[in-house]
Amino acid sequence: MKRTLNVLFLCTGNSARSIIAEAILNDRGAHRFKGFSAGSHPKGEVHPVALKLLNDLGHDTFDLHAKSWDAFAGPGAPKLDVIITVCDRAAAETCPVWPGHPASAHWGMPDPVTVAGGAAEAIAVFADTYRLLANRISAFVELPIASLGTEALKQRLTEIGERAKVESAVRNPNRKRSR
């Protein structure tokens, strides 16, 4: 039997993008992948729009909570096979030293929490974030993981992030965001 691969999604606040990615991977990669999420400076709670979206889409949100990436760097932490940053700020920070040197990639995308506008705009932006992450994670779980070494896996994950970045820019060139 093949071992389940542990994947950690990192963001700064661990309140939206990384949480959404964790939920999607745990559904789409069941029995092959185990998703986790964490933040460099966790906000302490999951954004309510993210939780509502995930619940509405049938994801289990019971164990989702904002946590520090330190929880995955110490003794007793799960062995990480892949680390994916989903925000530019977390990607630029000095990460803890991860035991085992997992494959890593950056899948940067705008933070849906920072979107200006009302409730309808927030729901639309969170849904778009979900769609982008779902597309990336679907491509990830289809990779021939067993035949890829760490460097090849890293390259394929980077390619997934780059393709998705172009797709996002083409679909939403004029979306207004707060600063």
Short mmCIF file of all heavy atoms in Angstrom, two decimals, residues 70-94:
data_model
loop_
_atom_site.label_atom_id
_atom_site.label_comp_id
_atom_site.label_asym_id
_atom_site.label_seq_id
_atom_site.Cartn_x
_atom_site.Cartn_y
_atom_site.Cartn_z
N ASP A 70 4.32 26.96 12.90
CA ASP A 70 5.19 26.33 13.90
C ASP A 70 4.67 24.96 14.33
O ASP A 70 5.43 24.10 14.74
CB ASP A 70 5.33 27.23 15.14
CG ASP A 70 6.09 28.52 14.84
OD1 ASP A 70 6.88 28.54 13.86
OD2 ASP A 70 5.87 29.50 15.57
N ALA A 71 3.35 24.76 14.23
CA ALA A 71 2.74 23.48 14.60
C ALA A 71 3.24 22.34 13.71
O ALA A 71 3.14 21.18 14.08
CB ALA A 71 1.22 23.58 14.51
N PHE A 72 3.80 22.68 12.54
CA PHE A 72 4.26 21.66 11.60
C PHE A 72 5.78 21.56 11.53
O PHE A 72 6.30 20.80 10.72
CB PHE A 72 3.68 21.95 10.21
CG PHE A 72 2.19 21.83 10.18
CD1 PHE A 72 1.40 22.95 10.41
CD2 PHE A 72 1.58 20.61 9.99
CE1 PHE A 72 0.02 22.85 10.43
CE2 PHE A 72 0.20 20.49 10.01
CZ PHE A 72 -0.58 21.62 10.23
N ALA A 73 6.46 22.31 12.36
CA ALA A 73 7.92 22.31 12.32
C ALA A 73 8.55 21.61 13.53
O ALA A 73 9.75 21.36 13.53
CB ALA A 73 8.44 23.75 12.24
N GLY A 74 7.76 21.28 14.52
CA GLY A 74 8.32 20.72 15.74
C GLY A 74 8.15 19.22 15.85
O GLY A 74 7.62 18.55 14.96
N PRO A 75 8.59 18.68 16.98
CA PRO A 75 8.44 17.25 17.23
C PRO A 75 6.97 16.86 17.24
O PRO A 75 6.12 17.60 17.70
CB PRO A 75 9.05 17.06 18.63
CG PRO A 75 9.81 18.31 18.91
CD PRO A 75 9.23 19.39 18.07
N GLY A 76 6.69 15.69 16.70
CA GLY A 76 5.33 15.20 16.67
C GLY A 76 4.50 15.70 15.49
O GLY A 76 3.36 15.27 15.32
N ALA A 77 5.07 16.60 14.72
CA ALA A 77 4.35 17.11 13.54
C ALA A 77 4.36 16.04 12.44
O ALA A 77 5.28 15.23 12.37
CB ALA A 77 5.01 18.38 13.03
N PRO A 78 3.33 16.05 11.58
CA PRO A 78 3.34 15.08 10.48
C PRO A 78 4.51 15.35 9.54
O PRO A 78 4.93 16.50 9.36
CB PRO A 78 2.00 15.31 9.77
CG PRO A 78 1.48 16.61 10.27
CD PRO A 78 2.16 16.91 11.56
N LYS A 79 5.05 14.28 8.96
CA LYS A 79 6.11 14.44 7.97
C LYS A 79 5.49 15.06 6.73
O LYS A 79 4.53 14.53 6.17
CB LYS A 79 6.72 13.08 7.61
CG LYS A 79 7.78 13.17 6.53
CD LYS A 79 8.16 11.79 6.00
CE LYS A 79 9.19 11.86 4.90
NZ LYS A 79 8.75 12.57 3.71
N LEU A 80 6.03 16.18 6.30
CA LEU A 80 5.47 16.89 5.15
C LEU A 80 6.19 16.46 3.87
O LEU A 80 7.41 16.38 3.83
CB LEU A 80 5.60 18.40 5.35
CG LEU A 80 4.85 18.94 6.56
CD1 LEU A 80 5.17 20.41 6.77
CD2 LEU A 80 3.35 18.72 6.41
N ASP A 81 5.40 16.19 2.84
CA ASP A 81 5.95 15.81 1.54
C ASP A 81 5.94 16.97 0.56
O ASP A 81 6.80 17.05 -0.32
CB ASP A 81 5.14 14.65 0.96
CG ASP A 81 5.15 13.45 1.89
OD1 ASP A 81 6.24 12.85 2.03
OD2 ASP A 81 4.12 13.14 2.50
N VAL A 82 4.96 17.86 0.70
CA VAL A 82 4.81 19.00 -0.20
C VAL A 82 4.36 20.20 0.61
O VAL A 82 3.50 20.08 1.48
CB VAL A 82 3.75 18.70 -1.29
CG1 VAL A 82 3.53 19.90 -2.20
CG2 VAL A 82 4.14 17.47 -2.11
N ILE A 83 4.95 21.37 0.28
CA ILE A 83 4.53 22.63 0.89
C ILE A 83 4.23 23.59 -0.26
O ILE A 83 5.05 23.80 -1.15
CB ILE A 83 5.63 23.21 1.80
CG1 ILE A 83 5.88 22.24 2.95
CG2 ILE A 83 5.23 24.59 2.29
CD1 ILE A 83 7.03 22.62 3.84
N ILE A 84 3.03 24.17 -0.21
CA ILE A 84 2.60 25.10 -1.25
C ILE A 84 2.18 26.40 -0.59
O ILE A 84 1.26 26.41 0.25
CB ILE A 84 1.43 24.52 -2.07
CG1 ILE A 84 1.87 23.22 -2.76
CG2 ILE A 84 0.92 25.54 -3.09
CD1 ILE A 84 0.76 22.47 -3.44
N THR A 85 2.84 27.49 -0.95
CA THR A 85 2.42 28.80 -0.47
C THR A 85 1.36 29.33 -1.44
O THR A 85 1.48 29.16 -2.65
CB THR A 85 3.60 29.79 -0.38
OG1 THR A 85 4.28 29.83 -1.64
CG2 THR A 85 4.57 29.39 0.71
N VAL A 86 0.33 29.94 -0.88
CA VAL A 86 -0.75 30.47 -1.71
C VAL A 86 -0.87 31.98 -1.62
O VAL A 86 -1.77 32.56 -2.20
CB VAL A 86 -2.11 29.79 -1.39
CG1 VAL A 86 -2.09 28.33 -1.81
CG2 VAL A 86 -2.49 29.94 0.07
N CYS A 87 0.05 32.62 -0.92
CA CYS A 87 0.08 34.08 -0.91
C CYS A 87 1.51 34.54 -1.05
O CYS A 87 2.45 33.88 -0.60
CB CYS A 87 -0.60 34.65 0.32
SG CYS A 87 0.27 34.49 1.88
N ASP A 88 1.67 35.68 -1.71
CA ASP A 88 3.01 36.20 -1.98
C ASP A 88 3.76 36.57 -0.71
O ASP A 88 4.95 36.39 -0.62
CB ASP A 88 2.92 37.41 -2.92
CG ASP A 88 2.39 37.03 -4.28
OD1 ASP A 88 2.58 35.86 -4.68
OD2 ASP A 88 1.78 37.88 -4.95
N ARG A 89 3.04 37.08 0.27
CA ARG A 89 3.70 37.49 1.51
C ARG A 89 4.33 36.30 2.23
O ARG A 89 5.47 36.35 2.67
CB ARG A 89 2.69 38.20 2.41
CG ARG A 89 3.34 38.81 3.62
CD ARG A 89 2.37 39.72 4.34
NE ARG A 89 2.89 40.00 5.66
CZ ARG A 89 2.15 40.44 6.65
NH1 ARG A 89 0.87 40.66 6.48
NH2 ARG A 89 2.69 40.66 7.81
N ALA A 90 3.59 35.21 2.35
CA ALA A 90 4.14 34.01 3.01
C ALA A 90 5.29 33.42 2.21
O ALA A 90 6.26 32.92 2.78
CB ALA A 90 3.05 32.97 3.22
N ALA A 91 5.20 33.50 0.89
CA ALA A 91 6.27 32.96 0.05
C ALA A 91 7.57 33.72 0.24
O ALA A 91 8.66 33.17 0.10
CB ALA A 91 5.85 33.00 -1.42
N ALA A 92 7.47 35.01 0.58
CA ALA A 92 8.66 35.84 0.75
C ALA A 92 9.25 35.75 2.15
O ALA A 92 10.37 36.21 2.38
CB ALA A 92 8.32 37.29 0.42
N GLU A 93 8.52 35.17 3.09
CA GLU A 93 9.01 35.08 4.45
C GLU A 93 9.98 33.91 4.61
O GLU A 93 9.97 32.98 3.82
CB GLU A 93 7.83 34.89 5.42
CG GLU A 93 6.92 36.09 5.47
CD GLU A 93 5.85 35.94 6.52
OE1 GLU A 93 6.22 35.98 7.71
OE2 GLU A 93 4.69 35.80 6.16
N THR A 94 10.80 34.00 5.63
CA THR A 94 11.70 32.91 5.93
C THR A 94 10.92 31.84 6.67
O THR A 94 10.43 32.06 7.78
CB THR A 94 12.88 33.40 6.82
OG1 THR A 94 13.55 34.45 6.12
CG2 THR A 94 13.83 32.27 7.12
#
